[in-house]
Amino acid sequence: MCASVCMCVCPSVCMCLNYPSICVSPVPQPPTITLQSPKDYIFDPRENIVIHCDAKGKPHPSFSWTRNGTHFDVEKDSKVLMKPGSGTLVIDISGEKAEAYEGVYQCTAHNEHGTALSNNIVIRQSRSPLWSKERNEAIMVQRGVSLVLQCRPPAGLPPPVIFWMDNIFQRLPLNERVSQALNGDLYFSNVLPEDTRSDYICYARFPHTQTIQQKQPISVTVLDSKGASGSGGVPDSPVGDRKPGFMAPLGATSTNMVLRGETLELECIAEGLPTPEISWSKESGELPSNRMSLKNFQKTLEIRDVTEADAGDYRCVAKNSLGSVHHIIKVTVKENPASVFLLLSRPSCCTRNKALCSSALCINQSLHVACDSLTDAPQDPSRKVEDDTVILSNVQTGSSAVYQCNASNEFGYLMANAFVSVLGLTCLPFLCRFKDVKTSIQNGDPYVIHENGTLEIHVAQKLNSGKYTCIATNTLGIRENHVYLEVKAESLLCVSINGLGCVFSVIRFVVDTDSLTIKDVTEKDEGTYTCIMNTTLDQDSASAMLTVVEEPDPPSDLELTDQRDRSVQLTWIPGDEHNSPTEKFLIQYEDLLHEPGVWHNLTEVEGTSTTAQLNLSPYVYYAFRVLALNHVGYSQPSQPSRQYRTNPAGKEYYTPEYNIGTGLNGCPLKGFQSNGPGLHYKIEWRQKDVDQDWSSESVANVTQFVVSGTPTFVPYEIKVQAVNDYGSGPEPEVVTGYSGEDQPLTAPENVQVMVHNSTIAEVHWEPVPTSSVRGKLLGYNVYFQRERSLTETEVDPEQKEQVLTFSGNRSEGRLPGLQPYSLYNLCVKVFNSKGEGPPSTSKNFETPEGVPGPPSFLNIVNPNMDSLTLEWGPPLKNNGRLTGYTLKYQPVNTTSELGPMKVMTFPANETSVILIELKSNTLYKFYLSANTIKGSGPNITDESFTVMDTSEFSVHLHLHSSHLELVNGSHSYLLKGLKPGTSYRARVVARDQADSMVHSTKEVTIAVPAVASRQVDIATQGWFIGLMCAIALLILVLLIVCFIKRNKGGKYPVKEKEDAHQDPEIQPMKEDDGTFGEYSDTEDHKPLKGSRTPSNGTVRRDESDDSLVDYGEGGDGQFNEDGSFIGQYSGKKEKDTHEGNESSEAPSPVNAMNSFV
């Protein structure tokens, strides 16, 4: 389908106008900018620059950039990245100078069907400059006088936000008497003794960089009693009551210009005693109450969303009990190009023989409008340009083009684009037919199908409810739209106009359940509207009168009567007021001789007048027009009157304005001020206080005149007079100016330095003679440089020279921010606008010791249970001779509460310490500072834990019940006896000597793998069970035999065998292993015959409870932890001491088992 932003009109013209399309094949589209950065882009130098540029089109466009009017090659700059599928630039300015990327950027999106341009995007870096160093003199004023404390912040980008606070960062109270102006200055209408303070501080906050700059404090002292003398510019007694006077703005009138749509701010600040009250009014109308607000105790008038009607004269009045004074502010409203829009229109349909397809229209009569794409476009007979409209007729395929409209004035610009694509297809009118669920709908009662496809049902009934489908077709395709209609018979809403019955229109009249909306209202829509509500039981109605108001029609039939040399009477016929009375008429004039095409406001008259007496200037070719104003707005201008010429004057009425700089610069007279032909200027000059004649020169059509051959910076008397062919203008006033400057000749002398403390020094010098300055003395520059620390012997080459500027004719200045215990060198230079003079003799001075900086580092190493080792480094800035270090530390408990502080001191040559007798598993906080004779410097802090007491750990296993195993300080432990296919939860718990839990780890899950299914469990095999049963039966029989033998006496065959072999290596089994223990003699604990018993009479146990007694011929063997034997079978040969009694005792079952085995 065709793109949703195109429409088709004959002959096959598709225009991107956000209309739905019925085209079948895709319509190619040129690029359209969909996203771009603002025109004024201020970036933070701490963040990347992101310049947005996105566009759509078919095919998808490619992107390129220009910077400052030239191609910007993105690929060559490794710091610049263009996002894939987009033209957005991401500029990495980390480690780079952000200023290098400032400039004017413009994005270009291009495909095979056209090109789209973004706005010119001005990229600038946000700046927050430092406040210039200055010394504010203390201010002493008498009670009752007015006072202004100037802020004058540094110019930032964007401008800073200004506020006044004291030295504890509390905002200064503002009221009707004390207020802050829009420029940041602090105004006192009259001062009181409570205004005395030494900390009036102006702060400037720069929003982009989030930094705040501070002005030097200003000290104000208010005197409340009569002084001894009035010297020093301070009145000798308090000032009494007086009528108001304006402190800002100055004079009787002032001007203000604002752009339409912006916010207008007007300010009036008055002085007087008692404190004056401020009120506002507009001389030629009412203040817009819905858009107006008074701020700053009514001293500031703010009007939002300014329109042309807000232009005019605004009066602010300051009044107190002794009188009043007023000030007039003349406000002009200028047009903003942001209001320009692009209008694309089309006929409903057309054919190749009948075509008039309007494609682009730029509307803004107050701006210069240019269609840039037609500048270099080839001639096309189907294209015609009329003013700001492009008309295409009988279009062909070659008429496809991208049209761009650029509207601009001195306040900005706006660009808009339109794309016209001519397709090689036949476009016929839309054919629309309707059908319901079952049948097709034909044109006829009760249905009416209009030409635009609208379906009308004259009398809607219940049976008309259902689903309706509109089918629109042409040669390019087909489209359907579904509408569901529900007809309710219970009630009927009817709107009657002037009693003529119910009216419904789907075009301009929209009837809702409780409202009627009329679109595009005209005068024909005036009348009485009645809403009638019907039900089955009753009806009710309500009426309303509609009155249509609009701007008045322009006046007509302008006539000039009572014609004189310097005046004329203008009459006119007012136009239709359109139900809103005319408030006033505005008369404008055009100077056809000097400024043709430019209209100026001349005067205004009341809306009831139709004549005006106009005062004119000589030698002007006038044409007049009139505009009417009512509550809605201004009318269109009337047709100009006939031309009226005034005669030249014999004398000038105006004197040119001028000033003195490198030459004589003037403001030339405007054309209507010349009063006659042959305008030129007579310039006269002579050196002041020298007895000589005036020199003169006549010039024309220039605004600057240079007098050469003058001595350096000497005063001259100058005057400029305007002259025309009829004579000279008024005698001008004499102005004093100076000839050109040059660099000063001499250097300041007798430079002295007074060191106040380790960071501040005061410099004094003798001012240079005025004659040697050779210009206007602007001030003195003090150059100073730190050469080295007093602890060093060589000069530091990396130290840079610094400069402080002291404005005016000064003889002293303070140098702040010096480094303690350092050697400095300085010199002083005087300067004027041409440059600096020679330097003074260099002066060396030393700063005393100060407190040192913090230690360079603090490390905590080798933590133990009751000790920690601290290591540190000396300060990077000693600021003197180090005398030692101070260490403070304290414990921190689990609730972050601090324990008692302990203090230790160390000599300067020590940089480590071992702290002992600390608590185990405890957090300690340390504070370390370096010391000089001036005291301790700032601390460096750190925290560390002592090691946990690991004397006893335990492992907790959880399956169905808890199980505990002691680890006893080990850092690893092997868990044994776990069942395959079972999951366990385990944790490690640390306990102290009191068996209380100190620390516990989180639980971990241990999964023991199950035995693979292919492994056969031998315990379930039948042959194994049978074998075990046979062995058990055999043992049982053997036990019975042994029991019988014992009761009868005699020797076992085993004993006989032992006696025959005399083998002493036979080892007995352990008594406590649970094997045949019940057959031992428990009465006298005698050993059985053939057994081996240790000399101490006890049977020796092995060291491990789960080990077996060693067998064989080796030493004492035992099992490893994995169950293997250690050593070979071995045993010791011993003879039983009771061998002689063996015939009287039964043989041991143990020996019997050994023999059996």
Side-chain angles (χ1 to χ4, degrees):
M1 296 296 294
C2 188
S4 62
V5 293
C6 296
M7 71 175 185
C8 297
V9 295
C10 183
S12 304
V13 178
C14 284
M15 303 171 61
C16 299
L17 299 169
N18 295 318
Y19 292 104
S21 172
I22 313 268
C23 299
V24 177
S25 59
V27 177
Q29 289 185 356
T32 301
I33 301 295
T34 59
L35 176 64
Q36 56 183 320
S37 293
K39 296 178 181 179
D40 193 5
Y41 181 178
I42 300 175
F43 66 89
D44 190 337
R46 299 168 297 185
E47 300 176 357
N48 291 341
I49 304 174
V50 180
I51 313 176
H52 292 285
C53 179
D54 285 329
K56 63 181 181 179
K58 293 186 178 179
H60 190 72
S62 59
F63 298 87
S64 62
W65 285 84
T66 62
R67 184 172 70 179
N68 298 329
T70 61
H71 175 67
F72 181 39
D73 195 340
V74 177
E75 296 180 353
K76 289 186 177 180
D77 194 333
S78 61
K79 293 290 185 178
V80 181
L81 172 66
M82 183 182 294
K83 292 186 176 180
S86 169
T88 298
L89 295 183
V90 179
I91 304 177
D92 182 9
I93 58 175
S94 59
E96 298 290 330
K97 290 185 176 180
E99 296 84 353
Y101 291 99
E102 292 183 325
V104 181
Y105 290 75
Q106 189 174 37
C107 174
T108 302
H110 176 77
N111 65 11
E112 59 190 47
H113 301 292
T115 300
L117 299 176
S118 71
N119 294 325
N120 286 328
I121 304 171
V122 181
I123 305 297
R124 296 183 294 171
Q125 175 187 348
S126 62
R127 292 178 171 84
S128 53
L130 297 176
W131 223 300
S132 59
K133 297 295 183 180
E134 59 181 359
R135 181 180 179 182
N136 295 322
E137 298 291 343
I139 299 175
M140 298 181 63
V141 292
Q142 284 288 351
R143 174 178 179 173
V145 303
S146 61
L147 177 64
V148 180
L149 301 183
Q150 294 183 344
C151 181
R152 301 295 187 266
L157 188 66
V161 178
I162 305 301
F163 49 93
W164 289 80
M165 296 195 298
D166 55 19
N167 56 10
I168 59 173
F169 302 102
Q170 297 295 319
R171 283 185 176 269
L172 298 178
L174 302 179
N175 48 43
E176 293 84 355
R177 186 179 58 85
V178 183
S179 59
Q180 179 179 318
L182 294 176
N183 66 351
D185 292 347
L186 193 63
Y187 282 80
F188 295 78
S189 298
N190 51 79
V191 295
L192 299 176
E194 54 261 32
D195 296 326
T196 298
R197 63 190 309 155
S198 60
D199 55 352
Y200 285 94
I201 305 175
C202 181
Y203 290 85
R205 180 173 64 86
F206 298 89
H208 266 61
T209 57
Q210 294 300 319
T211 58
I212 297 179
Q213 302 290 350
Q214 170 186 340
K215 186 183 178 72
Q216 291 294 324
I218 301 176
S219 176
V220 175
T221 302
V222 179
L223 305 179
D224 196 20
S225 59
K226 187 172 181 180
S229 63
S231 61
V234 180
D236 57 0
S237 61
V239 177
D241 294 353
R242 62 190 182 281
K243 65 179 296 185
F246 281 105
M247 304 172 71
L250 300 176
T253 62
S254 60
T255 60
N256 195 314
M257 188 277 292
V258 65
L259 297 181
R260 186 166 68 90
E262 294 186 350
T263 299
L264 172 65
E265 289 184 321
L266 303 178
E267 181 181 60
C268 280
I269 301 177
E271 58 91 18
L273 193 63
T275 302
E277 296 180 354
I278 304 295
S279 61
W280 293 87
S281 63
K282 187 177 181 182
E283 292 198 339
S284 57
E286 298 293 330
L287 295 174
S289 59
N290 59 334
R291 296 182 290 111
M292 177 203 76
S293 60
L294 295 174
K295 297 182 177 181
N296 195 16
F297 307 98
Q298 296 192 342
K299 299 177 183 180
T300 302
L301 172 65
E302 181 182 280
I303 300 178
R304 300 173 297 277
D305 300 325
V306 171
T307 65
E308 291 84 352
D310 295 321
D313 295 344
Y314 290 80
R315 175 191 294 263
C316 67
V317 178
K319 182 179 180 180
N320 66 7
S321 58
L322 299 182
S324 64
V325 65
H326 72 273
H327 180 90
I328 302 297
I329 304 177
K330 297 181 180 295
V331 175
T332 57
V333 179
K334 298 292 185 179
E335 186 56 83
N336 189 341
S339 62
V340 175
F341 59 91
L342 182 66
L343 176 65
L344 302 178
S345 59
R346 63 177 179 89
S348 60
C349 194
C350 52
T351 64
R352 287 186 179 272
N353 296 326
K354 182 182 179 182
L356 182 61
C357 300
S358 178
S359 63
L361 178 62
C362 292
I363 297 179
N364 195 318
Q365 297 179 349
S366 62
L367 303 173
H368 170 68
V369 179
C371 290
D372 297 343
S373 61
L374 297 180
T375 304
D376 301 322
Q379 294 294 327
D380 187 347
S382 66
R383 181 175 63 231
K384 181 171 63 175
V385 180
E386 294 183 357
D387 297 330
D388 52 8
T389 304
V390 180
I391 299 176
L392 302 178
S393 59
N394 294 323
V395 295
Q396 304 297 323
T397 305
S399 300
S400 298
V402 177
Y403 294 84
Q404 182 180 73
C405 181
N406 186 332
S408 62
N409 64 7
E410 66 268 27
F411 306 110
Y413 73 94
L414 183 70
M415 291 196 302
N417 299 282
F419 169 55
V420 176
S421 177
V422 181
L423 305 178
L425 302 173
T426 300
C427 177
L428 297 178
F430 292 137
L431 299 178
C432 186
R433 58 189 176 90
F434 282 85
K435 68 177 183 178
D436 58 12
V437 179
K438 300 178 180 179
T439 61
S440 295
I441 296 176
Q442 304 297 328
N443 195 2
D445 192 38
Y447 302 105
V448 177
I449 301 179
H450 295 273
E451 293 182 357
N452 63 355
T454 300
L455 173 64
E456 181 181 354
I457 304 176
H458 286 300
V459 181
Q461 300 181 7
K462 193 74 174 179
L463 56 87
N464 296 126
S465 300
K467 174 183 177 182
Y468 289 79
T469 302
C470 174
I471 305 174
T473 61
N474 64 6
T475 58
L476 299 179
I478 183 171
R479 175 168 290 183
E480 294 185 358
N481 186 33
H482 305 285
V483 179
Y484 294 88
L485 174 64
E486 180 182 2
V487 179
K488 296 183 178 180
E490 286 74 18
S491 62
L492 173 65
L493 177 65
C494 176
V495 179
S496 174
I497 305 178
N498 294 330
L500 299 179
C502 296
V503 175
F504 296 95
S505 174
V506 297
I507 300 176
R508 295 196 303 114
F509 290 82
V510 180
V511 180
D512 204 348
T513 56
D514 58 355
S515 64
L516 170 65
T517 303
I518 306 176
K519 301 179 181 178
D520 301 326
V521 176
T522 63
E523 286 186 344
K524 296 180 181 180
D525 297 321
E526 290 186 345
T528 302
Y529 287 75
T530 302
C531 177
I532 304 173
M533 178 66 72
N534 292 319
T535 67
T536 57
L537 300 178
D538 199 359
Q539 75 171 27
D540 196 7
S541 64
S543 300
M545 174 69 72
L546 174 64
T547 302
V548 180
V549 296
E550 58 180 316
E551 299 91 345
D553 289 339
S556 58
D557 296 338
L558 272 67
E559 293 186 4
L560 299 175
T561 59
D562 192 15
Q563 300 176 5
R564 301 179 183 180
D565 289 342
R566 297 292 178 267
S567 66
V568 68
Q569 181 172 286
L570 176 66
T571 61
W572 62 88
I573 298 176
D576 192 343
E577 294 182 336
H578 295 296
N579 299 317
S580 179
T582 301
E583 297 176 358
K584 65 179 179 181
F585 292 98
L586 173 63
I587 302 173
Q588 298 180 328
Y589 75 92
E590 177 188 14
D591 187 352
L592 298 172
L593 177 62
H594 304 102
E595 293 181 294
V598 180
W599 290 90
H600 302 275
N601 294 341
L602 181 60
T603 187
E604 295 176 351
V605 297
E606 295 294 330
T608 56
S609 301
T610 58
T611 62
Q613 191 72 28
L614 307 179
N615 296 322
L616 309 179
S617 298
Y619 196 54
V620 178
Y621 294 177
Y622 283 99
F624 302 97
R625 69 181 186 185
V626 182
L627 292 84
L629 174 68
N630 64 6
H631 182 70
V632 180
Y634 277 100
S635 69
Q636 294 294 321
S638 67
Q639 292 296 322
S641 68
R642 63 180 177 85
Q643 188 181 120
Y644 182 74
R645 301 184 178 183
T646 56
N647 297 323
K651 273 285 186 179
E652 284 284 354
Y653 288 165
Y654 307 98
T655 301
E657 299 177 0
Y658 51 92
N659 56 73
I660 310 300
T662 55
L664 180 64
N665 297 279
C667 297
L669 300 179
K670 297 181 179 179
F672 72 90
Q673 295 176 328
S674 63
N675 293 344
L679 176 65
H680 61 281
Y681 302 96
K682 180 182 179 182
I683 304 173
E684 297 180 276
W685 69 93
R686 69 180 179 183
Q687 189 171 344
K688 190 176 182 179
D689 300 329
V690 176
D691 187 12
Q692 63 179 18
D693 296 332
W694 291 88
S695 300
S696 65
E697 188 75 30
S698 295
V699 296
N701 300 322
V702 296
T703 60
Q704 183 178 13
F705 180 74
V706 178
V707 178
S708 58
T710 61
T712 302
F713 202 68
V714 295
Y716 275 82
E717 294 179 328
I718 305 169
K719 55 184 179 180
V720 178
Q721 188 176 28
V723 182
N724 63 17
D725 293 345
Y726 288 82
S728 301
E731 186 67 24
E733 295 182 1
V734 177
V735 177
T736 300
Y738 286 83
S739 58
E741 300 183 42
D742 203 351
Q743 293 180 342
L745 293 176
T746 61
E749 296 180 352
N750 195 19
V751 177
Q752 302 292 331
V753 180
M754 297 175 58
V755 179
H756 290 281
N757 52 45
S758 60
T759 60
I760 297 177
E762 187 172 315
V763 186
H764 294 261
W765 63 87
E766 291 184 1
V768 299
T770 303
S771 59
S772 67
V773 177
R774 300 203 296 178
K776 183 179 180 180
L777 190 149
L778 299 181
Y780 292 84
N781 286 332
V782 177
Y783 293 85
F784 62 99
Q785 180 178 8
R786 180 178 182 267
E787 295 189 347
R788 60 179 175 84
S789 171
L790 293 180
T791 59
E792 301 171 353
T793 57
E794 297 183 358
V795 176
D796 186 359
E798 296 183 358
Q799 296 293 334
K800 296 182 179 180
E801 188 177 50
Q802 304 178 61
V803 60
L804 278 179
T805 299
F806 300 95
S807 302
N809 191 13
R810 300 279 296 273
S811 61
E812 81 286 332
R814 285 197 171 190
L815 306 180
L818 303 178
Q819 292 190 24
Y821 209 55
S822 300
L823 176 63
Y824 279 86
N825 178 275
L826 66 79
C827 66
V828 185
K829 298 179 183 180
V830 65
F831 68 95
N832 57 21
S833 60
K834 284 295 184 179
E836 296 179 329
S840 67
T841 305
S842 296
K843 186 73 174 181
N844 291 331
F845 67 94
E846 298 178 354
T847 55
E849 293 189 55
V851 296
S856 56
F857 67 89
L858 175 61
N859 296 331
I860 303 175
V861 298
N862 299 330
N864 291 305
M865 288 190 298
D866 60 351
S867 66
L868 292 171
T869 301
L870 276 64
E871 297 178 350
W872 62 85
L876 299 179
K877 294 182 178 180
N878 291 342
N879 296 337
R881 292 181 294 269
L882 286 181
T883 60
Y885 298 93
T886 300
L887 174 65
K888 301 177 182 180
Y889 65 96
Q890 57 189 149
V892 183
N893 61 17
T894 55
T895 60
S896 299
E897 296 178 354
L898 300 177
M901 180 78 72
K902 294 186 178 181
V903 181
M904 301 178 66
T905 58
F906 307 96
N909 58 355
E910 285 194 20
T911 57
S912 64
V913 66
I914 300 177
L915 301 178
I916 60 175
E917 297 181 357
L918 305 178
K919 296 180 181 180
S920 63
N921 192 34
T922 303
L923 176 64
Y924 283 87
K925 188 168 185 179
F926 300 93
Y927 313 85
L928 181 67
S929 61
N931 306 323
T932 63
I933 60 174
K934 291 295 184 177
S936 297
N939 292 321
I940 181 173
T941 64
D942 201 355
E943 296 178 350
S944 180
F945 277 95
T946 52
V947 175
M948 183 187 305
D949 186 358
T950 58
S951 59
E952 181 178 294
F953 290 90
S954 61
V955 178
H956 286 253
L957 290 180
H958 301 270
L959 183 57
H960 299 294
S961 60
S962 297
H963 173 71
L964 182 144
E965 294 187 20
L966 295 179
V967 181
N968 296 330
S970 300
H971 293 279
S972 63
Y973 186 70
L974 178 66
L975 298 176
K976 298 179 295 185
L978 305 181
K979 295 181 180 181
T982 306
S983 295
Y984 296 86
R985 291 181 292 117
R987 62 173 179 166
V988 178
V989 176
R991 300 180 182 274
D992 56 14
Q993 285 101 356
D995 197 32
S996 60
M997 187 174 65
V998 178
H999 180 73
S1000 175
T1001 64
K1002 294 183 179 179
E1003 290 187 354
V1004 296
T1005 302
I1006 302 174
V1008 181
V1011 178
S1013 60
R1014 69 174 183 272
Q1015 295 180 357
V1016 180
D1017 190 356
I1018 193 173
T1020 62
Q1021 299 301 309
W1023 63 269
F1024 181 76
I1025 296 175
L1027 178 61
M1028 293 295 103
C1029 290
I1031 294 173
L1033 182 59
L1034 183 60
I1035 294 173
L1036 180 60
V1037 173
L1038 188 60
L1039 291 174
I1040 295 172
V1041 172
C1042 293
F1043 181 79
I1044 295 172
K1045 283 274 189 180
R1046 182 186 182 207
N1047 290 337
K1048 289 182 178 182
K1051 296 184 178 179
Y1052 288 100
V1054 177
K1055 178 60 177 175
E1056 295 173 356
K1057 187 178 178 180
E1058 289 178 352
D1059 294 338
H1061 288 83
Q1062 293 295 319
D1063 186 1
E1065 301 297 326
I1066 298 175
Q1067 299 290 332
M1069 296 184 70
K1070 293 171 62 178
E1071 292 179 7
D1072 55 352
D1073 62 357
T1075 306
F1076 309 123
E1078 65 272 16
Y1079 295 104
S1080 62
D1081 190 354
T1082 59
E1083 296 179 0
D1084 53 2
H1085 300 286
K1086 293 182 179 180
L1088 296 176
K1089 291 182 179 180
S1091 65
R1092 180 173 55 87
T1093 303
S1095 60
N1096 58 3
T1098 62
V1099 180
R1100 184 178 60 88
R1101 295 178 178 265
D1102 194 36
E1103 294 178 356
S1104 176
D1105 290 343
D1106 55 357
S1107 300
L1108 297 177
V1109 179
D1110 302 331
Y1111 290 86
E1113 299 176 356
D1116 293 341
Q1118 63 182 14
F1119 282 98
N1120 267 333
E1121 290 186 356
D1122 58 356
S1124 60
F1125 280 106
I1126 300 176
Q1128 303 295 327
Y1129 295 103
S1130 61
K1132 295 183 180 179
K1133 295 181 180 180
E1134 294 183 2
K1135 288 188 178 181
D1136 198 331
T1137 57
H1138 304 282
E1139 210 173 39
N1141 300 325
E1142 62 185 12
S1143 61
S1144 64
E1145 296 180 2
S1148 171
V1150 177
N1151 289 338
M1153 275 299 298
N1154 289 338
S1155 301
F1156 174 76
V1157 176

